[in-house]
Amino acid sequence: MALKHGKSVAAQRRDFLSVQEQHQPVLVVVFLRGGADGLTLAPPHGDDAYHRARPTLAVSRADLHDLDGYIGLNKSMAGLMPLWENGHLALHHGVGSADETRSHFAAQDLMEHGGRIAGGWLARFLRSGSRQIGPLSSVAIGTTMPESLRGAPGGVVVQSVQEFTVGSDEVQSIGRLRKLYEVAEGPLGEAGRSTLDAISRLRRLRSEPGPAAPEPYPDSQLGRGMREISRLIHAEVGLVASTIDAVGSGLGWDTHFIQSQTIGDLMEDLAGSIRSFVADLGAHADRTRIVVMTEFGRRVSENSSFGTDHGSGSLMLTVGKELPGGAGIFKHFEGLSSDNLLGPGDVPVGKDYRHVLSDLLETVDSGYEVERVFPSLTQA
Amino acid sequence: MSHDRREFCSSLGLLSLAATTGCEQLSSFLPAGVSDRDRPPGTAPTADEIDFTHHVLNRCTFGPRPEDRALLKPGFDSWLDQQLHPKDIVDPLCDRTIASIERIHQHRGELYSEDPRILLHDLVRARIIRAVYSRRQLLEVMVDLWTDHFNVAWSKGNCRWLKISDDLEVIRPHALGRFRDLVRATATSPAMLIYLDGHDNKVVHPEDKPNENHARELLELHTLGVDGGYTQRDVLEAARCMSGWTYGHSFMCAGVSRVGFDSGRHDDGAKEVLGVTIPAGGGKNDLEQLIDIVCEHRSTSRYVARRLARVFIADSPPDEVVEAIAASYRSSGGDIPEMLETVFGLPAFRENAGTLFKRPFRYLVSVLRATDADTNGGATIQKRLRRMGQPPFEYPTPDGYPLEAEPWFGSLLWRWNFSLDLLAGRIPGATVQGKELVRRFGSSDRLLAHLLGRRPTSFELEQMNGEDGISIALASPEFQWH
């Protein structure tokens, strides 16, 4: 594989990224840090036990969109209703992990590693799959690398696409590097050229403000971050997976205290950001899947501070045009009467969250090996 | 209220900031004499193809420093002989720097009182400093090789505290010793016992099934190799041999952190591994017998030989190359220095100059060495390694960072930025005197020859001139190979 100089291979040049990686599926992982209350996001309003357990916090019929007579969608999440009506939204209720600590840190680690193993599930997916891995295959939006990407082939954490640059005099650097990589043979030459193409595309993206989003994003960290992901998808730079945290302000989803005062804004932000994101993607929405997850749900009964404490099973949302198993409601708990609950009164985990993820990953890369991503899942 | 993740992370941010400020100032971190040390004239190759001296420095070290060609003047054999005896190499500057990273030198029981993220930062810093500055370069290259072969990911459970002792007490002391001793040491390394669940491998009741994870990787990844001819039955029997070894520590009682053999958790019946019978009643000696059996197996000689060949010769080494090294393993009883002498004596070693793709760690270190950079190996450098996809000790699965080129092609953008930012002075943890470097070689053409391992072509000279010429050379396709 040694390189020979002086030979022009420009004629043979092919943009392998555009052939292999354009129009390929993209996965966006939205993590609700803090343990989101699935029973408020998608209230089981048809269950009497729900209303008994939550005298002040139960979402009333007037404050939700009924979906199937038992489960509804909180009106603060109304941004998702168009997706629901088009059959592009699935609600997985009563899912979670084997975590028993009910500690944010332990539960997030367990969930993002995909079991009691080293490294992140998304990292293993990228390492073991058949998708072409380029410089922008996985991008975490934020300031720190999430554990799900621990050990990924390239750990890019950015707050904005503005950060993807090369050198200070970019035009000159790109020009010189292009000449050198133009004549480099083999896969390194191809990789160099596709990387230069990706930077050039991002460069155009940075210099142009681009069209305004068809539906304005919420002015929030999540909204701004989702817009950056949309720009990366539009730019066709080989993005396979992106992660973003929805943390809101204050204590975020960790609603121990006067939950009703804080969770509404968080839900509006979440649903509004997803709604704007999907609209902004336009035709790219067809190849984009979103999963919304959280480390655990919250206790069924409210506490004395009008909040809820750490629980177990919770809600996962998947969004996309052709979802594995279809759109709709997937309820994995029997009901909320106390004999159906777990431990201190939690929704039991009726389905391992990794099954939801593994089905979804199949649609992102049919060549991936589930036993490498979730080894303990396949043994079980 | 229990810990909130964001609070936890932000407090870590503060802690690591506190731990690194001051150290990030190069002058206050490097021991006296490093930043204003003698910088002798550089010597560059003069041929049009990569010559043997450059090839040796590329493969047996983390890449040539400006003055390194002089080291090989007395001949390759005497240089190699020194490198194979790292204890006899005097290296006060690097030793002092490593000693100054005090946190990692505590007993592993004491380490539990430290923040694990800061421990990782310190351990990676030591790794970078050694790779860049140590005179015991072949040792460092072998540590890199065995760290992948016996991979332990920092992020699993207590490995966060235990990887340090695995590095300092298990991998490094045996990296140029006997393979059998290395396997034996890793088999009861606390970090490995946690990483591969060996600590939970127990047979208390006759119907108990041992935990096979560690035994399987011992056969599949550490010794015989996946096609080494063992069966599921051998894995189970090996797991029985290893049952009862465990690791314990006490958060209450600092310093209590030990590996032990619990005969009550050991399956003491007769076993048969790879056709060799181990009689009942062997107790803790079963492990010694098991290690002997697997290390003396013919497949192990070939499997270890193949890794050496892939790291030093070619990514897909021919069978006869692997067999020659394997024969040396068998005749020397797995003596690593003897195997290396065989490797470097093979014609295939000479013939494969510039054909291996540098993994990100080697790329970054070779840039710092080639440019004689002053670096503290701190957070800013570590962040660059992470972007390139190879932060040390973080590969999740037991097979270690891949050796082949393909998985690394996605890291080019971050390599280019590293070289451009380094020479432009935009990386706080590393500085290079670009103009001084040219002066030491006498001309920029000669400096480029030093970077490329041969005289640059006229086409290359055209692209690599001017202000950012050195960066472009370091970012060029040519510099990605070794």
Side-chain angles (χ1 to χ4, degrees), chain B residues 129-172:
Chain B
I129 294 287
R130 282 182 157 123
V132 174
Y133 293 113
S134 175
R135 292 181 180 166
R136 304 171 189 118
Q137 278 288 301
L138 185 55
L139 172 66
E140 292 309 315
V141 171
M142 292 306 291
V143 166
D144 191 55
L145 185 152
W146 297 128
T147 298
D148 283 324
H149 190 93
F150 298 98
N151 186 54
V152 169
W154 169 86
S155 59
K156 178 163 173 177
N158 283 358
C159 296
R160 286 175 168 87
W161 291 274
L162 295 171
K163 180 59 208 180
I164 288 183
S165 72
D166 187 66
D167 185 62
L168 301 183
E169 295 161 26
V170 175
I171 302 284
R172 305 191 70 88

Side-chain angles (χ1 to χ4, degrees), chain A residues 268-287:
Chain A
E268 276 176 26
D269 184 25
L270 174 66
S273 296
I274 291 174
R275 176 198 176 109
S276 308
F277 178 66
V278 172
D280 192 11
L281 286 175
H284 293 287
D286 292 356
R287 64 185 182 98

Side-chain angles (χ1 to χ4, degrees), chain A residues 1-2 127 132-133 153 186-189 191, chain B residues 310 314-316 354-360 388 401-412 415 480-482:
Chain A
M1 218 181 283
R127 289 247 182 224
Q132 180 85 40
I133 297 302
L188 175 64
Chain B
R310 289 188 69 196
D315 190 42
S316 307
T355 57
L356 289 174
F357 193 70
K358 289 178 185 172
R359 300 192 299 173
M388 293 181 204
Y401 280 113
L403 293 174
E404 62 273 20
E406 279 71 20
W408 304 113
F409 288 142
S411 60
L412 282 174
R415 295 177 187 226
Q480 312 307 315
W481 303 91
H482 75 117

Side-chain angles (χ1 to χ4, degrees), chain A residues 1 15 23 49 51 57 61 85 117 129 168 173 213 231 242 262 264 291 306 318 362 376:
Chain A
M1 218 181 283
D15 188 345
H23 313 304
H51 299 277
L57 291 182
R61 185 69 182 76
E85 280 150 14
I117 42 178
S168 54
S173 304
R231 294 174 84 189
S242 193
T262 53
V291 59
F306 311 107
T318 49
E362 185 75 31
S376 43

Side-chain angles (χ1 to χ4, degrees), chain A residues 96-132:
Chain A
S97 75
D99 171 71
E100 288 173 0
T101 66
R102 295 181 174 80
S103 135
H104 294 296
F105 187 62
Q108 288 180 22
D109 244 25
L110 182 71
M111 186 166 270
E112 296 192 88
H113 284 198
R116 287 179 218 288
I117 42 178
W121 64 270
L122 208 42
R124 289 191 300 276
F125 170 70
L126 293 162
R127 289 247 182 224
S128 69
S130 62
R131 295 284 295 272
Q132 180 85 40

Side-chain angles (χ1 to χ4, degrees), chain B residues 179-190:
Chain B
F179 184 71
R180 198 261 178 215
D181 297 340
L182 180 56
V183 175
R184 177 63 188 82
T186 62
T188 53
S189 169

Side-chain angles (χ1 to χ4, degrees), chain B residues 171-431:
Chain B
I171 302 284
R172 305 191 70 88
H174 298 289
L176 280 172
R178 282 183 180 270
F179 184 71
R180 198 261 178 215
D181 297 340
L182 180 56
V183 175
R184 177 63 188 82
T186 62
T188 53
S189 169
M192 191 66 90
L193 284 170
I194 297 290
Y195 182 52
L196 294 179
D197 306 322
H199 71 101
D200 196 35
N201 177 9
K202 57 184 185 295
V203 178
V204 179
H205 308 293
E207 67 278 11
D208 285 354
K209 296 263 182 293
N211 185 318
E212 291 179 7
N213 193 11
H214 194 169
R216 180 177 304 281
E217 303 306 7
L218 174 75
L219 297 176
E220 178 183 328
L221 295 171
H222 299 167
T223 57
L224 277 73
V226 69
D227 302 317
Y230 60 89
T231 63
Q232 168 54 34
R233 176 91 202 151
D234 291 318
V235 172
L236 174 68
E237 294 289 287
R240 293 177 62 214
C241 290
M242 300 170 91
S243 62
W245 285 93
T246 191
Y247 166 75
H249 75 277
S250 162
F251 274 109
M252 294 295 121
C253 185
V256 176
S257 162
R258 62 182 199 92
V259 171
F261 176 76
D262 181 348
S263 56
R265 290 155 60 103
H266 180 67
D267 180 342
D268 218 12
K271 293 118 190 155
E272 187 186 308
V273 182
L274 298 160
V276 182
T277 303
I278 299 173
K284 68 195 292 190
N285 198 46
D286 283 358
L287 177 65
E288 307 303 329
Q289 296 234 36
L290 170 68
I291 304 279
D292 284 340
I293 293 166
V294 296
C295 287
E296 283 163 19
H297 198 276
R298 202 176 176 84
S299 294
T300 300
S301 70
R302 273 198 295 267
Y303 183 70
V304 176
R306 193 172 149 77
R307 181 169 281 266
L308 292 181
R310 289 188 69 196
V311 167
F312 289 106
I313 295 177
D315 190 42
S316 307
D319 287 345
E320 63 269 21
V321 164
V322 174
E323 190 40 51
I325 306 167
S328 157
Y329 177 102
R330 294 193 293 270
S331 65
S332 69
D335 185 73
I336 296 164
E338 278 211 33
M339 294 172 77
L340 287 173
E341 288 191 63
T342 305
V343 168
F344 303 135
L346 290 170
F349 172 68
R350 280 178 183 266
E351 290 158 6
N352 275 285
T355 57
L356 289 174
F357 193 70
K358 289 178 185 172
R359 300 192 299 173
F361 183 79
R362 177 180 284 274
Y363 172 75
L364 179 134
V365 171
S366 69
V367 167
L368 295 171
R369 286 175 63 81
T371 56
D372 200 4
D374 289 331
T375 184
N376 59 16
T380 56
I381 298 292
Q382 296 181 20
K383 186 177 167 197
R384 299 292 178 139
L385 265 180
R386 182 181 305 284
R387 284 222 158 164
M388 293 181 204
Q390 202 188 9
F393 317 120
E394 292 196 36
Y395 192 76
T397 46
D399 47 341
Y401 280 113
L403 293 174
E404 62 273 20
E406 279 71 20
W408 304 113
F409 288 142
S411 60
L412 282 174
L413 174 59
W414 316 115
R415 295 177 187 226
W416 299 341
N417 271 323
F418 180 71
S419 65
L420 287 159
D421 291 347
L422 177 68
L423 271 294
R426 285 193 294 263
I427 301 181
T431 54

